[in-house]
Amino acid sequence: MMGENVLRAARYPFLPEAREFISRNIDLSLESLEKTGSEAALKRAVERVKNSLIFKEVKVTALDELNYVREMLSFPIAIILVSMIMNEYVRRMYALGESRGAYRRMLNESVETLLYIGEKMGVGGVLEDENTIRVKIPTYLRLAYSFHAPHWKLVNRAVNNGYVTMGKTEYARLIQVEVNNYVYEKTLEPVPPGAVPDIFRKAADEIVELWNRLETGKASRIPLKEREDTPPCIGRIIRRMENGENASHFERLVVATFMIARNRNIEEIIEFFSKQPDYKYSVTKYQVEHLAGIRGGGKKYSVPSCRTILTNGLCYPDEYCKGVKHPLRYGEKNVAGEPRIS
Amino acid sequence: MLQASLEFLKREFFKYYYENISRLVPPEPIRSREFGFFLEKGRGMFRHKCFNSLKDFHEFILNAIPLDIYVSAANYEDPGNRDMSEKKLVNAELFFDIDAESVAAVSEEESAWICQKCGQYGIGLIDRCSSCNSPTELVRLVSEKQLKEALRETEKLIHVLTEDFGIAPENIHVFYSGNRGYHVHVNQEDFLNITGEGRREIVDYLLIQGLDEKELLNFLKKGANIEGVSFKGVKRRVYMRILEKAGSMEKLKASGRETVLKTLVNAVEELKVRIDPVVTIDMHRLMRMPESINSSSGMVKRRIRLEDLPSFKPLEEAIAFGDEEACLKVKIVPRFSLGGKTFGPFKDEEVELPAYAAVYIVCKGLGEYAGR
């Protein structure tokens, strides 16, 4: 590998060549790991995970890059540590930390390097001109559906002949999602208890300890009081229904499931529906109870997501909708802010 | 439906399937598809059925003579499992349904009404019975005009699929549903694995939902050049249509925001492809089997080659039965065209009709079989 490529593999240790480099040059047997300089790599691995939990981002300095063997090796070790901890939150935070760090670094790369990383990660792109990249629609949909800003919606994109066109930054963002998925999936692979040296177990414990400290320092998300936590889409349906306007089947479903989720009692909900032109007490009672899981298979119906509401043409967002993906999340705010640690 | 009518249908259906069984080829691979059937009128669907070979499938059809045949858009690891999640979805074709009714209204003379309460009936679009004033049930015939509109929507859909989504024409299969709409199946490798969420994005794209109107309006206000990369696909079409409707950029800039917004809404109305969103998003959907009979009309779900689309005549080319005469006792039938001929209107009479028209009336529940 050329010198420059070694540094790139250290910067993006999830790339296949980093894996190849390790398996070619480093004896990965347990004994040798304990004997050789892998302690430095282990220390760096712990730092990767800690960075993710605290800063939500794995930072890689120029010095780290020059320490390329340690850097490359620390990535698979960090994955082993996270797998050992078996905590869903730690898994997600670590995947996020690695992918966000990679994203930040990718922004400074040339478009060629970006395309190279994308290609290796299964996010193939084609250079259109110096600032634009084309990505196949299925690839785009697989990665971009999790973004909720309007400009990511396919309908608002430049779509042509099977491709979606975008700038460098957006392309890097798509790769980030794939890196996130890749790291997350890797941490799901179980680690057999006897397969890791004791120092790994100690390192994992150290991370768990940090995680526990972060958890206790964090205030819970506190929902605002009733009126303020009704999102504008549902508020609009409620107002229209209060005026006796005939609501569609879907609108009724949204309102009923929302009220059930907000713990309004069944009679109160039926009373609300009584203003509908085709209102029948028995029918409404049956349907609301069905949605609440009191009748039928006992399955409680959930409130449709923001995406579903949008697809049905009922989304009327306000400024508090930013970042909200589900109506029930509307109005919550993180009172504590960033976690404090000492 | 009387027993004699059901027997008449089954006899005619058998003849069709016996002679045309080789046309019934489900999408590959047959082993990973779920099949569903309606075997009797008014009974639930017999589903979760799977077949090991085309021969088994054909044998089943010739033995059971189903009224309707369906096949899953999805491939499953275990298609016969009754538990949907245990079927283990592998992937699914993209499937679009364009319903003529949501596209255009039906005319008075092609409609009939029946009063469920007093049994009164007549021709026209009447929602209250003329003698007892209770709500009527409307009988929906297949309207040529509606189908023409639906065909136009289908052409719009194919345009977007090929131009924007880059789908190869040979991977697009278009069908007349046999009743009131068109089906489009897309079997292109890299689109098979798109998830439900991704399909929702495709639906929103076709229905032009969630369009960033603000950005578009700002662009229009500035009179900006749209040759830039950000305006391709549906956004570009909307933009161009607005300009077209306004006459020129100067006129558009002179008009107020309200007018521009209204033009935008109208442009979207014209450009959106009226597919049924639920059908496309649902990966577990069962699709009517190509070349099988649709028991709501007695016509066939007929494959249409893309090049034949503009000239396709559903009410002539999807006929499944011959023209030997059959006798029917007819309650009420508005005027209708089928197989290039026009029939009716009929009211309280016994009529002799060619088999294909007789099957149509029986399938619509407007008459009963009364012998040859």
Side-chain angles (χ1 to χ4, degrees), chain A residues 128-129 132 134 136-142 144-145 147 150-163 165 305 307-313, chain B residues 162-167 190-191 194-195 197-213 215 229-235 277 281:
Chain A
E128 196 161 275
D129 57 50
T132 40
R134 283 185 296 152
K136 281 198 166 162
I137 292 174
T139 309
Y140 180 84
L141 291 178
R142 177 165 59 84
Y145 86 85
F147 303 146
H151 74 272
W152 283 106
K153 271 193 83 62
L154 192 65
V155 73
N156 291 315
R157 304 300 308 192
V159 179
N160 189 31
N161 202 23
Y163 290 91
T165 312
S305 67
R307 185 170 282 266
T308 308
I309 290 174
L310 175 68
T311 298
N312 280 278
Chain B
T162 51
E163 292 294 308
D164 294 3
F165 294 170
I167 291 167
D190 53 345
F191 277 73
I194 294 177
T195 60
E197 297 280 3
R199 285 164 206 250
R200 211 177 279 254
E201 285 295 298
I202 289 178
V203 163
D204 284 345
Y205 188 89
L206 292 164
L207 289 169
I208 320 188
Q209 288 185 138
L211 185 73
D212 192 347
E213 294 178 354
E215 187 204 11
V229 279
S230 66
F231 276 75
K232 269 187 201 156
V234 73
K235 225 158 56 168
I281 293 166

Side-chain angles (χ1 to χ4, degrees), chain B residues 78-90:
Chain B
D78 183 9
N81 204 308
R82 303 186 68 81
D83 184 331
M84 283 322 273
S85 56
E86 288 294 307
K87 279 191 200 296
K88 298 209 178 70
L89 184 107
V90 179

Side-chain angles (χ1 to χ4, degrees), chain B residues 92-123:
Chain B
E93 281 160 34
L94 262 183
F95 177 47
F96 301 98
D97 180 12
I98 291 171
D99 180 13
E101 261 185 31
S102 60
V103 173
V106 69
S107 73
E108 286 263 342
E109 53 186 15
E110 284 171 319
S111 316
W113 58 269
I114 297 175
C115 176
Q116 292 298 5
K117 202 161 177 198
C118 72
Q120 191 64 249
Y121 44 84
I123 291 192

Side-chain angles (χ1 to χ4, degrees), chain B residues 114-145:
Chain B
I114 297 175
C115 176
Q116 292 298 5
K117 202 161 177 198
C118 72
Q120 191 64 249
Y121 44 84
I123 291 192
L125 278 166
I126 296 169
D127 48 4
R128 293 259 162 206
C129 172
S130 56
S131 58
C132 76
N133 202 34
S134 19
T136 58
E137 188 185 305
L138 290 173
V139 178
R140 306 178 295 180
L141 289 191
V142 181
S143 145
E144 211 166 351
K145 200 185 99 211

Side-chain angles (χ1 to χ4, degrees), chain B residues 8 12 15-16 19 298 319-326 341 353-359 372:
Chain B
F8 167 62
E12 290 298 324
K15 279 193 269 178
Y16 171 80
E19 283 155 28
I319 302 288
F321 310 107
D323 47 14
E324 59 276 26
E325 302 271 296
K341 288 185 185 150
L353 290 169
Y356 63 86
V359 169
R372 294 251 170 225

Side-chain angles (χ1 to χ4, degrees), chain B residues 36-40 43-46 65-70:
Chain B
F37 304 91
F38 282 113
L39 299 172
E40 306 284 339
R43 272 230 246 132
M45 185 190 263
F46 172 59
I65 318 291
L67 292 169
D68 294 283
I69 307 172
Y70 296 88

